[in-house]
Amino acid sequence: MNLGGSLNNSSGGGLGGATIVADIPFSNNMAAAGAMAQNIYNSPGLSLALQQPSIGNQGDGVRMGENFEASIGRRSREEEHESRSGSDNIDGVSGDDQDAANNRPRKKRYHRHTPQQIQELEALFKECPHPDEKQRLELSKRLCLETRQVKFWFQNRRTQMKTQLERHENSLLRQENDKLRAENMSIREAMRNPICTNCGGPAIIGDLSLEEEHLRIENARLKDELDRVCALASKFLGRPLSSLATSIAPPLPNSNLELGVGSNGFGGLSTTLPLGPDFGGGVSNSLPVVPPNGVERSMFLELALAAMDELVKMSQTDEPLWIRSLEVGREILNHDEYSRMFTPCIGIKPAGFLTEASRQTGVVIINSLALVETLMDSNRWAEMFPCMIARTSTTDVISSGMGGTRNGAIQLMHAELQLLSPLVPVREVNFLRFCKQHAEGVWAVVDVSIDTLRETSGAPTTYVKCRRLPSGCVVQDMPNGYSKVTWVEHVEYDESQIHHLYRPLLSSGIGFGAQRWVAALRRQCECLAILMSSTVPTGDHTAITASGRRSMLKLAQRMTGNFCAGVCASTVHKWNKLNAGNVDEDVRVMTRKSVDNPGEPPGIVLSAATSVWLPVSPQRLFDFLRDERLRSEWDILSNGGPMQEIAHIAKGQDHGNCVSLLRSSAMNANQSSMLILQETCMDAGGSLVVYAPVDIPAMQVVMSGGDSAYVALLPSGFAIIPDGPGSPGPTTSNGNGDSHRVGGSLLTVAFQILVNSLPTAKLTVESVETVNNLISCTVQKIKAALQCES
């Protein structure tokens, strides 16, 4: 990696300050010093203090490089005396040993390393600025040097690097200060001698109030920007740096205008983000100035910056931070390397909590702006991930963004995240969401929990069962309306409430992991692209009008949403859990009252759900459950005969992603007016088969484009996810004696049934036993049909 270019994946993706000067060769002649100065000037880590040139305007950068080269030349003798490029040692003595050597009567003897020794030392410094004792011993033997000479060479080299960066940073800040001082003087001069813009004569007092206000706002904006640069420079250098803006004018009113400090100089897209240690020198590097509404809001701003920095590094860095595991076929977070690279921004992990982390990259058919708008709107975010988000809301907006865009937007949100099983409780998280544009067509959205900050500020809090460490996605535009999405999920959670059947799935990062988010996003974007297309997909029922397709899909969306809410017992509905002795241990039964809801039949609704492990692949199980010809093997509504598909609407390229309308071939007189609405979907994260009985007259209205909100239905169905490592699957062995686990599926079966049409009626024991028998019988029929009773 070098300072002037974009990040290099081959270097491990590291962004640490220790590798910033890894590619800066050093020699004692002036030409090398000038080249080194030019490299430092191009550093994205120093871009905040300087208006960087774009590719089309490199002349200014050359002149600045020449000025700095001249400055380096004037100090070359001084620097040569200070460090000798890390190549000279006084008998290999440095630090405290050198103080002891000063007390000796003998004369100091200098030792100059050979060019070959310097080349070897510089090569190792590129790879490892902090070699351990074993590496130093090996290098000293190879170069015929003492180990302490090697040790002190690296100490001097690191000291020299830090000194050069500090000098350059101070030089840039002085230049910025001079510029602001000159602008301020010109503003004050203009205010002392106002001129009328119409006649050119002296302006009457009072005519300049609007212009004066604009000048004051502009000056305040510049001052705020300089303060921000000083703060970031202090963070970069690791020591306090007093603001250089104190010598400008007396403080003017605060401004809510923003300043973009130049571009990153990238003319096109790159496979890696043009970001530096200051989280990027992209389209805009400044947060909007937020009115000071308390200490808590300023803490949110600091947390947003730290979380964004961590997300970007987590998305770009490969080994040793992320290690590819051949056993599980995905990346695993190296927690030791993570602890070394990052300081916990929300505090240490609570006792008894486990950590899950995952990363996934994929290409989706949506542009970056549309995806960012979806993620920053809580309602659209929930619609994009209906099987993963039970409920979400925006509780506060710290900043709405800059220039009419989402760049710099910060908002506080609450969400209930779900895995479709009654054995996994809903994850409630309160978090901050921060959106930032890093370059043209490159955006990042990060989430981080805020419970720790609220505890610090004294706000009322409840026991937290899940903490969201910096997680989110980095989105980069690609041709033809596609985007490359890199998703990172990093969570700490309490495992005590989770059933043992699902613990391996969650601890491996599969249950709520990045793969599931990217797979769901790809499937939903594909569905939206098909719906917006003017052509009818092959296999669709051509008799349904375009408005009829929209109404039917809207009805199916409501059906699936209600199914998920019934499985996970989210707060979408007010459920009452039953603890009945005649219900199986792993079956959860709940009830609620349905009143004044046109989309549901009125009365007492009973929901029953359970999850089991089956030694069957998810694809085979999904194909079996969605096949209308095999439905009679498990569904009592089919009356023992096959079902017939009378309408079909595709929702993706996979034939399994669709909405269907089914009719029983063996329909009796009592069911002559009933159809079955079914939605099926499948991706890498799992699959769904959701269905509900519906009236034929109501569906005729929907298929002709009528309002689907008045169609009453209660959904039932199945959720299928691949089991994770450590699940209770059997093992098989080959001829060599090696054994491996047989993969299977985690199947969730759920029913919602109207047990009484009177909302005030009492729930009977017989109704509970009937639903319990129904769910047990359905599971047994599925096992028998797939020949996996054991």
Side-chain angles (χ1 to χ4, degrees):
M1 163 184 157
N2 59 53
L3 286 168
S6 60
L7 303 180
N8 191 343
N9 287 334
S10 64
S11 65
L15 295 175
T19 62
I20 288 179
V21 297
D23 288 342
I24 303 177
F26 189 89
S27 66
N28 292 326
N29 58 67
M30 292 298 298
M36 182 266 302
Q38 187 63 32
N39 281 340
I40 293 178
Y41 167 75
N42 286 330
S43 166
L46 306 176
S47 62
L48 279 177
L50 185 62
Q51 186 82 12
Q52 291 189 5
S54 63
I55 286 182
N57 299 307
Q58 294 182 353
D60 294 338
V62 173
R63 289 193 295 272
M64 177 60 75
E66 292 172 353
N67 294 336
F68 186 64
E69 180 179 347
S71 175
I72 288 292
R74 289 193 297 270
R75 293 196 302 267
S76 62
R77 293 183 179 274
E78 176 188 349
E79 291 181 358
E80 181 179 14
H81 179 70
E82 286 178 356
S83 62
R84 297 276 182 178
S85 178
S87 302
D88 298 340
N89 285 284
I90 305 172
D91 285 338
V93 178
S94 178
D96 296 336
D97 293 338
Q98 186 174 345
D99 294 336
N102 290 336
N103 297 327
R104 300 174 186 174
R106 62 188 180 87
K107 184 178 179 181
K108 297 177 183 178
R109 177 169 56 87
Y110 286 87
H111 171 75
R112 180 180 294 276
H113 297 322
T114 65
Q116 292 76 12
Q117 290 173 333
I118 295 175
Q119 185 177 4
E120 289 280 346
L121 291 167
E122 290 284 357
L124 180 59
F125 185 83
K126 283 184 181 182
E127 301 177 0
C128 181
H130 293 267
D132 55 26
E133 186 176 353
K134 182 179 178 181
Q135 291 174 304
R136 293 197 301 267
L137 180 60
E138 180 183 349
L139 187 61
S140 65
K141 290 180 179 180
R142 191 165 69 247
L143 300 181
C144 300
L145 295 172
E146 296 181 14
T147 55
R148 63 176 184 173
Q149 287 181 298
V150 175
K151 174 182 177 181
F152 296 143
W153 186 93
F154 276 89
Q155 287 181 354
N156 294 338
R157 188 69 174 84
R158 291 192 296 267
T159 301
Q160 178 194 22
M161 176 191 71
K162 183 177 180 181
T163 301
Q164 291 167 350
L165 291 175
E166 289 180 352
R167 286 175 176 170
H168 183 56
E169 190 73 19
N170 291 336
S171 175
L172 296 177
L173 291 175
R174 281 195 297 270
Q175 293 175 14
E176 185 71 14
N177 186 42
D178 293 341
K179 176 182 176 183
L180 293 177
R181 185 184 294 109
E183 291 182 1
N184 183 260
M185 291 178 63
S186 63
I187 291 172
R188 299 176 72 179
E189 182 66 25
M191 291 173 62
R192 280 195 296 265
N193 301 301
I195 297 176
C196 179
T197 55
N198 296 326
C199 64
I204 301 175
I205 297 177
D207 290 352
L208 206 63
S209 58
L210 182 60
E211 183 179 354
E212 179 181 351
E213 182 63 23
H214 286 173
L215 292 174
R216 287 178 175 270
I217 292 175
E218 179 69 5
N219 193 52
R221 178 175 63 84
L222 294 172
K223 182 178 179 295
D224 292 340
E225 180 64 13
L226 181 59
D227 290 339
R228 189 187 63 81
V229 170
C230 292
L232 287 177
S234 300
K235 182 178 180 181
F236 175 73
L237 295 175
R239 59 179 176 79
L241 187 68
S242 59
S243 174
L244 299 178
T246 55
S247 61
I248 304 182
L252 292 174
N254 288 333
S255 167
N256 60 354
L257 298 180
E258 301 82 21
L259 176 65
V261 191
S263 66
N264 55 19
F266 283 75
L269 294 177
S270 170
T271 56
T272 58
L273 301 185
L275 308 176
D278 56 1
F279 336 136
V283 172
S284 176
N285 291 309
S286 61
L287 282 176
V289 179
V290 179
N293 292 336
V295 177
E296 190 178 38
R297 294 210 169 199
S298 64
M299 295 170 65
F300 288 148
L301 293 179
E302 295 179 7
L303 179 61
L305 288 173
M308 180 63 71
D309 181 34
E310 182 171 323
L311 172 68
V312 169
K313 292 179 181 179
M314 290 274 284
S315 67
Q316 291 182 325
T317 307
D318 295 326
E319 292 186 358
L321 183 61
W322 293 96
I323 301 175
R324 170 69 62 175
S325 173
L326 298 178
E327 181 180 355
V328 298
R330 60 182 184 83
E331 292 179 319
I332 297 177
L333 180 65
N334 183 344
H335 293 283
D336 293 336
E337 183 67 16
Y338 174 82
S339 300
R340 190 189 67 82
M341 288 183 61
F342 303 107
T343 301
C345 58
I346 59 172
I348 61 175
K349 179 171 67 175
F353 275 40
L354 296 183
T355 302
E356 65 178 53
S358 58
R359 182 175 71 168
Q360 184 72 21
T361 300
V363 177
V364 295
I365 183 169
I366 188 173
N367 63 64
S368 61
L369 288 176
L371 181 54
V372 164
E373 286 294 333
T374 298
L375 296 176
M376 299 304 292
D377 186 305
S378 59
N379 293 328
R380 292 170 62 181
W381 181 45
E383 291 177 0
M384 183 65 79
F385 302 95
C387 299
M388 303 180 67
I389 303 173
R391 194 173 189 178
T392 182
S393 62
T394 301
T395 58
D396 194 8
V397 177
I398 306 296
S399 169
S400 59
M402 299 182 293
T405 69
R406 293 290 189 174
N407 184 26
I410 303 177
Q411 57 195 35
L412 306 184
M413 302 181 71
H414 172 82
E416 297 179 15
L417 307 180
Q418 61 190 3
L419 184 66
L420 295 181
S421 170
L423 307 183
V424 180
V426 171
R427 288 184 172 179
E428 290 193 51
V429 287
N430 295 295
F431 59 95
L432 174 149
R433 176 162 289 181
F434 174 35
C435 176
K436 181 175 174 60
Q437 184 177 12
H438 291 280
E440 187 67 31
V442 180
W443 293 77
V445 179
V446 65
D447 298 343
V448 61
S449 287
I450 57 175
D451 302 284
T452 305
L453 287 185
R454 287 182 167 172
E455 291 174 3
T456 305
S457 62
T461 59
T462 58
Y463 175 70
V464 178
K465 298 180 180 179
C466 175
R467 303 200 319 164
R468 195 162 171 79
L469 279 68
S471 306
C473 62
V474 177
V475 189
Q476 183 174 3
D477 275 333
M478 297 182 68
N480 300 324
Y482 285 79
S483 295
K484 176 184 176 183
V485 178
T486 301
W487 203 290
V488 175
E489 281 295 310
H490 198 187
V491 176
E492 296 172 346
Y493 65 98
D494 182 4
E495 191 185 42
S496 61
Q497 303 293 323
I498 300 171
H499 193 276
H500 66 86
L501 194 64
Y502 281 83
R503 289 184 180 182
L505 186 76
L506 268 62
S507 62
S508 62
I510 299 177
F512 289 93
Q515 180 189 19
R516 189 167 170 232
W517 288 96
V518 173
L521 176 63
R522 182 185 288 117
R523 175 171 53 82
Q524 285 293 108
C525 291
E526 188 178 286
C527 173
L528 293 175
I530 291 178
L531 294 180
M532 290 187 293
S533 174
S534 58
T535 59
V536 178
T538 305
D540 270 20
H541 199 277
T542 55
I544 305 177
T545 63
S547 59
R549 293 175 67 213
R550 286 192 295 270
S551 296
M552 196 167 169
L553 289 173
K554 190 174 182 179
L555 178 62
Q557 181 184 25
R558 174 162 64 88
M559 175 183 70
T560 301
N562 287 340
F563 170 78
C564 296
V567 170
C568 298
S570 66
T571 58
V572 174
H573 299 296
K574 186 177 180 180
W575 293 100
N576 297 313
K577 185 177 179 180
L578 296 181
N579 295 316
N582 55 346
V583 176
D584 295 342
E585 180 183 358
D586 292 336
V587 177
R588 183 176 66 192
V589 179
M590 303 180 298
T591 63
R592 62 181 174 88
K593 295 180 180 180
S594 176
V595 182
D596 298 331
N597 186 351
E600 290 180 345
I604 302 296
V605 177
L606 189 146
S607 171
T610 189
S611 295
V612 296
W613 180 86
L614 297 179
V616 181
S617 69
Q619 183 67 55
R620 181 187 173 197
L621 185 56
F622 175 68
D623 291 339
F624 169 73
L625 293 173
R626 74 180 180 87
D627 192 340
E628 67 274 8
R629 296 167 299 181
L630 304 176
R631 194 179 185 98
S632 60
E633 298 188 31
W634 58 266
D635 186 11
I636 61 174
L637 295 178
S638 63
N639 296 306
M643 303 289 285
Q644 178 185 2
E645 185 180 66
I646 61 175
H648 179 97
I649 300 176
K651 294 186 64 179
Q653 296 180 357
D654 192 311
H655 185 68
N657 292 328
C658 65
V659 173
S660 306
L661 199 59
L662 308 178
R663 179 176 58 192
S664 174
S665 301
M667 188 178 297
N668 57 34
N670 295 331
Q671 295 176 318
S672 58
S673 61
M674 294 298 295
L675 298 174
I676 292 180
L677 177 67
Q678 175 175 285
E679 179 175 13
T680 61
C681 57
M682 184 176 190
D683 54 45
S687 54
L688 275 179
V689 178
V690 184
Y691 63 92
V694 290
D695 291 331
I696 290 181
M699 286 307 301
Q700 288 177 340
V701 173
V702 171
M703 294 173 68
S704 62
D707 189 359
S708 64
Y710 297 95
V711 178
L713 52 78
L714 289 174
S716 301
F718 309 93
I720 308 166
I721 57 175
D723 60 354
S727 294
T731 58
T732 60
S733 59
N734 54 23
N736 299 328
D738 298 330
S739 61
H740 65 278
R741 190 182 64 85
V742 176
S745 304
L746 291 169
L747 172 66
T748 295
V749 184
F751 293 97
Q752 292 187 37
I753 299 175
L754 186 72
V755 295
N756 199 305
S757 58
L758 296 176
T760 57
K762 299 291 184 179
L763 187 65
T764 62
V765 176
E766 291 76 11
S767 299
V768 177
E769 288 182 348
T770 300
V771 174
N772 183 58
N773 293 335
L774 173 62
I775 202 168
S776 299
C777 181
T778 302
V779 172
Q780 292 302 323
K781 285 186 175 183
I782 293 173
K783 289 182 176 180
L786 297 175
Q787 299 179 353
C788 55
E789 294 90 339
S790 58

